[in-house]
Each structure stands twice: as C-alpha cells, then as structure tokens.
C-alpha cells in the first residue's frame, strides 16, 4: 500500500492565497486568433509610439532613436542596469512641465517596475503589515488593487465614488481614515478605470490634508495622456510627503508588451521602493525600447496616435446614440481612451446587466469584437467598457453593435431575452464575469 504523502496544499499554502480570486480579463474567455478587434484592454490600437514601417521596422535610422534600439545581443549575458538612471531621467523630462511648481523631478524621485502592477504590489509591501493594515479603494476601480492586497494579506476598505458623477466622497474617506488608523494606503485611479473620469485636484488635496492620518495617497494615472493638458499630478509629489503618482508606457505610448511602469514619489518613499525591489527588475530590451520611445522623434509619433484616438473617441460619443434606441447613457467621462456605456433592457428603458452581457458575448463569439463587461461594478449597472480603436475598428464596432442589438430586439426574440423567469439566473451569470 502506497504511503500517504504528508504534503497537503490546503494546509501548507497561505490561507489568503488559497482563497484568492485571480485577476481576469476578457481574453481569458476569448482568445485572439489574429482577426478579432480587441477593444477590451484599453491598449493603444495604433501601435507603439515609434516611427515604424508596415513591417514594424524603424523607418529612418537618422531619427535619433535607432542607436537606442540597436541592442547588442551579445550583452544579454550581463545583468541589466539595476538603477536605470538614464531611463528615469527621460521619464522626469517627460513630466517636468512646470504645471504645478518650478522644482523639478529627479531620478531619485522614481521607481520603475514591471508595469504599474509592480509598484502597486511594492507599495503594499512597504507600508502595510500583513494581517493587520488596510488599503482604501474607491470603487468602481482597477481590479488589481484588491488582488494585490489579497496576495499581501491586506484587507480592503471600500468607499465608493459618488454614483452621479464618479467623484470622490471626501467626507466618507475622511471618516474612514479617522475611524481606522490601520488604513495605510489609498489607491485612487485618475482617470478612473472603468469610469474614464479624472478626479478633482481639489478633492485629492482635501484627502491629502486630513489632519491626523498617517498614510500614503497613490494616484494611478495610467490614462492621463488622454486627458486635458496639465492633468498629471506627477510634480505634486514634490509638495506632499505622502503622495505617489503611478504611470505606465502601456497605454498612450502603445508599449503594453514591454511592461514598464513608473512611480513618481517623494525621495524617501522612492528610496524604500527601490530598496525592496528585485535587483535587476527592468530587462535590457525593455529599457532600450522605453528609452527609444521617450526621444523627441518617438514622442511626436505618440502624440499623433493620441490625437487620432481622441478624434475617434469623439466620433464614438457622437455616433453611439444613433446605433440603436437600447444604447443608453455615456456613464463615465471623456478623459481616457475608452467609454463606459449603458445597455438598456428595452429601447429607451433601464440599464440591464442581462442585455449588456448578451451584447458582450455575441460581439465576441459571433462578430470577433471583444469589449469588456463591467455591469457588476458599483454604479455601472448594464455597462460595457469600450476601448477606442482605429478609425476602421470603430466603424466595424459600431456596425456590429447595431447588428447585435437589432438581433436581440427582434420582436420575436424580446420575450426570450427578457424572460423574467430567467432573470435571476442570468444576473448571477453576469456577475460571475469578473471586471
């Protein structure tokens, strides 16, 4: 008889990891076969902010960036630069706009990591004692905040945004901070994901001005380059000892594939984060591509792509109401490269998760257009989050959305779509789709 092995994962692994609900995305359900239109992850549909030809090659070696991309592969036997001073200097130059103060950001104010997710995790490890301290979030918001908190055994206190306009409920935040000194971090997304709304600087200042709270406010600005000029609070970290501003090259710069994020911090916080990181967390290829993307020639390309996205965003705002009477209100703001849009239970009716989920599924399964269902989030009943694509992608999306809604609302199908006997079952199904 075989001896029973003493290992039991259920008693050996950490309890918070065993109970962890992993972050999920639409591509867990719908794999890209190369023909889909991917409007689910808020990527830059126009591609990397680099001057490339149709084959993905640099178009002009004299643009001042080819040398940076000419990585000597023989050097890959050596570990990358652990400090990334040159890359940090370029990131500082990008955000030293003088909008908020004359003092300039310096490399000592920066932490660079594997996407913003590394900074999200590092801040929790730096400031929250597992099993004791807490994180405050304001839903609806980015799902990785809670996932990372659970990984670190940090409880999450939720103070929802105001449903009317997705603004901060400052009195409720202040009350939570006063009542619970174990709250050490606040993660705020601005522009919000999935709201697309930039948070008020005055309201953020009110949170920062809490008279007794000993903790850190973190502003996630992943989409700030799609917002009006001067929206970033990166330089404000020079004014507040407990403010951190996270950004990424994944969105506006079209470089999601290299996984490069940055946290602008007061120097003492940056020193903490750089002390606890892995020794060589940014690879040599990632660093080379990021530096190339921050040169003047590449920034000009990025700016052009960003402007094209804003034009298509405005087009979607104009044309979506005319697609079908069951397309409801634009629920969020116009400060990001996506829109949050309601789907209604009947033409000119009420927001419906059932209909939104059907549209999400039929677009992906039958039309090759992948968007994001967000109906389970606070204040987002019946909502789809739709990334702004290229002109051709937006044209196809609008056409396929019209076709799907026409199909759903054929007279003979309406009863089955909104069968109240199935409503509870469908609502559960809708809520099982993680945002």
């Amino acid at each position: 008889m075989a001896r029973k092995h003493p290992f039991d994962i259920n008693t050996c692994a950490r309890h918070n990891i065993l109970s962890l609900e992993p972050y999920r995305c639409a591509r867990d359900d719908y794999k890209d076969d190369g023909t889909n239109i991917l409007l689910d992850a808020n990527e830059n549909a126009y591609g990397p902010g680099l001057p490339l030809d149709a084959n993905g090659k640099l178009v002009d070696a004299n643009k001042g960036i080819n040398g940076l991309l000419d990585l000597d592969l023989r050097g890959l036997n050596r570990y990358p630069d652990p400090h990334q001073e040159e890359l940090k200097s370029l990131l500082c130059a990008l955000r030293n706009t003088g909008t908020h103060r004359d003092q300039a950001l310096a490399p000592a104010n920066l932490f660079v990591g594997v996407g913003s997710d590394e900074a999200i995790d590092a801040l929790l490890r730096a400031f929250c004692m597992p099993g004791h301290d807490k994180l405050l979030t304001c839903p609806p918001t980015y799902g990785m905040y809670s996932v990372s908190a659970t990984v670190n055994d940090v409880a999450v206190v939720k103070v929802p945004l105001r449903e009317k306009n997705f603004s901060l409920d400052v009195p409720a935040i202040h009350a939570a901070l006063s009542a619970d000194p174990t709250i050490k971090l606040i993660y705020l997304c601005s522009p919000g994901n999935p709201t697309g709304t930039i948070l008020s600087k005055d309201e953020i200042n009110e949170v920062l001005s809490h008279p007794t709270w000993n903790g850190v406010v973190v502003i996630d600005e992943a989409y700030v380059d799609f917002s009006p000029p001067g929206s970033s609070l990166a330089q404000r970290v020079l004014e507040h000892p407990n403010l951190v501003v996270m950004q990424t090259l994944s969105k506006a710069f079209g470089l999601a594939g290299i996984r490069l994020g940055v946290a602008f911090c007061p120097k003492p916080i940056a020193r903490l984060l750089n002390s606890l990181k892995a020794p060589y967390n940014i690879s040599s290829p990632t660093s080379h591509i990021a530096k190339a993307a921050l040169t003047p020639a590449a920034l000009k390309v990025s700016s052009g792509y960003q402007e094209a996205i804003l034009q298509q965003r405005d087009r979607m705002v104009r044309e979506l109401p005319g697609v079908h009477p069951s397309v409801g209100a634009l629920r969020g703001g116009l400060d990001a490269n996506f829109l949050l849009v309601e789907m209604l239970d009947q033409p000119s009716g009420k927001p419906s998760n059932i209909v939104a989920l059907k549209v999400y599924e039929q677009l992906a399964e039958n039309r090759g257009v992948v968007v994001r269902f967000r109906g389970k989030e606070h204040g987002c009943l019946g909502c789809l989050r739709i990334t702004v694509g290229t002109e051709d992608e937006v044209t196809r999306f609008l056409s396929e959305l019209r076709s799907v809604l026409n199909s759903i609302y054929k007279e003979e199908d309406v009863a089955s779509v909104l069968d109240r006997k199935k409503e509870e079952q469908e609502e559960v199904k809708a809520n099982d789709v993680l945002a």
Side-chain angles (χ1 to χ4, degrees):
M1 182 176 179
R3 182 175 79 87
K4 183 179 179 181
H5 200 284
F7 174 72
D8 182 352
I9 192 171
N10 293 306
T11 56
C12 186
R14 291 165 54 195
H15 66 89
N16 55 302
I17 303 300
L18 287 169
S19 63
L20 178 67
E21 289 288 346
Y23 182 82
R24 285 179 56 81
C25 62
R27 289 175 217 178
D28 290 317
D29 301 318
Y30 302 107
K31 305 300 182 185
D32 180 30
D33 62 0
T35 64
N36 291 341
I37 292 180
L38 303 176
L39 306 180
D40 59 303
N42 302 337
E43 297 149 324
N44 188 325
Y46 286 88
L50 296 167
L52 307 177
D53 63 22
N55 297 313
K57 306 297 183 182
L58 288 171
V59 296
D60 189 346
N62 297 317
K63 291 288 186 179
I65 66 172
N66 196 46
L68 284 172
L69 282 181
D70 188 18
L71 176 64
D72 184 352
L73 299 182
R74 294 171 298 178
L76 292 181
N77 64 313
R78 302 298 181 190
Y79 287 111
D81 176 6
H83 304 295
Q84 297 294 332
E85 293 287 319
E86 185 179 358
L87 173 58
K88 290 177 180 178
S89 294
L90 290 169
L91 290 163
C92 288
L94 181 69
R95 299 307 178 196
N96 278 330
T97 62
T99 300
H100 298 300
R101 64 177 295 147
D102 294 332
Q103 186 179 349
L105 293 160
N109 293 111
L110 270 64
F111 167 82
V112 290
V114 182
S116 295
D117 297 324
E118 185 175 358
I120 291 168
D121 179 74
L123 285 158
L124 284 161
R125 288 187 289 134
F127 290 101
C128 293
M129 185 180 298
H132 179 268
D133 293 329
K134 299 184 180 77
L135 164 70
L136 187 148
T137 66
C138 296
T141 195
Y142 180 39
M144 270 305 296
Y145 304 150
S146 292
V147 172
S148 190
T150 301
V151 169
N152 287 283
D153 200 14
V154 173
V156 179
V157 175
K158 297 181 180 180
V159 179
L161 298 173
R162 299 181 189 275
E163 284 197 32
K164 182 178 181 181
N165 59 1
F166 291 129
S167 62
L168 292 176
D169 188 343
V170 176
I173 294 174
H174 275 206
L177 299 181
S178 297
D180 192 347
T182 66
I183 297 173
K184 293 295 182 65
L185 285 172
I186 301 174
Y187 282 165
L188 302 175
C189 203
S190 180
N193 175 12
T195 69
T197 300
I198 202 155
L199 297 175
S200 161
K201 293 178 183 178
D202 290 340
E203 291 181 348
I204 292 172
N205 283 334
E206 286 187 62
V207 175
L208 286 164
S209 67
H210 190 284
T212 61
W213 181 58
N214 180 24
V216 179
V217 176
V218 183
I219 312 295
D220 186 345
E221 292 187 343
Y223 304 97
V224 76
D225 291 289
F226 301 108
S227 303
S231 294
S232 175
L233 298 178
Q235 283 190 278
R236 288 280 181 92
V237 305
L238 302 172
E239 303 172 10
H240 300 280
N242 63 333
L243 175 64
V244 173
V245 175
M246 298 188 301
Q247 296 181 0
T248 179
L249 297 189
S250 295
K251 308 300 183 182
F253 297 90
L255 292 171
I258 72 169
R259 307 302 298 125
L260 195 288
V262 55
F264 297 93
C265 317
K267 290 180 181 179
I269 293 179
R271 190 157 47 246
L272 278 184
L273 299 182
N274 285 303
S275 295
L276 66 82
K277 75 173 182 67
Y280 311 103
N281 62 327
I282 304 300
S283 73
S284 296
T286 290
S287 179
H288 273 67
I289 295 170
K291 287 185 286 189
L294 295 169
T295 56
L299 289 173
K300 183 177 180 180
V301 175
S302 288
S303 179
Y305 288 166
Q306 291 161 26
E307 181 59 34
I309 289 170
L310 297 185
Q311 291 175 3
Q312 291 307 307
R313 184 183 71 189
D314 293 343
R315 174 193 172 195
M316 289 174 68
V317 172
R318 291 193 308 269
E319 296 186 19
L320 269 168
V323 166
H324 193 274
S326 62
V327 175
L330 176 64
R331 188 67 187 89
L334 296 175
D335 297 310
N337 67 329
F338 56 85
L339 299 175
L340 186 68
V341 182
E342 292 176 342
M343 298 290 116
L344 307 181
D345 62 356
Q346 57 185 313
S348 304
K350 296 179 180 179
S352 168
N353 273 358
I354 298 171
V355 174
L357 184 63
K358 286 185 176 294
V359 172
Y360 163 71
E361 290 176 336
Q362 290 189 23
L363 280 174
E365 292 171 1
N366 304 329
R367 312 297 174 125
V369 178
V370 185
V371 296
R372 197 75 183 270
F373 172 78
R374 297 306 300 255
K376 66 176 290 187
E377 297 293 307
H378 170 80
C380 300
L381 179 65
C383 283
L384 299 177
R385 192 194 69 195
I386 305 156
T387 305
V388 179
T390 64
E391 182 176 3
D392 288 345
E393 289 174 339
V394 169
T395 298
R396 181 174 160 190
F397 161 72
L398 293 170
S399 175
E400 299 291 7
L401 178 63
R402 178 180 292 107
S403 180
V404 164
L405 288 170
N406 283 337
S407 174
I408 288 175
Y409 282 98
K410 282 181 180 178
E411 185 175 347
E412 62 269 27
D413 292 338
V414 172
S416 63
V417 171
L418 297 175
D419 184 349
R420 295 307 174 187
K421 292 182 179 179
K422 298 180 180 179
E423 183 168 358
E424 183 176 350
Q425 179 181 353
E426 291 292 331
E427 188 70 23
V428 170
K429 182 180 178 183
N431 286 338
D432 283 341
V433 180
L434 295 183

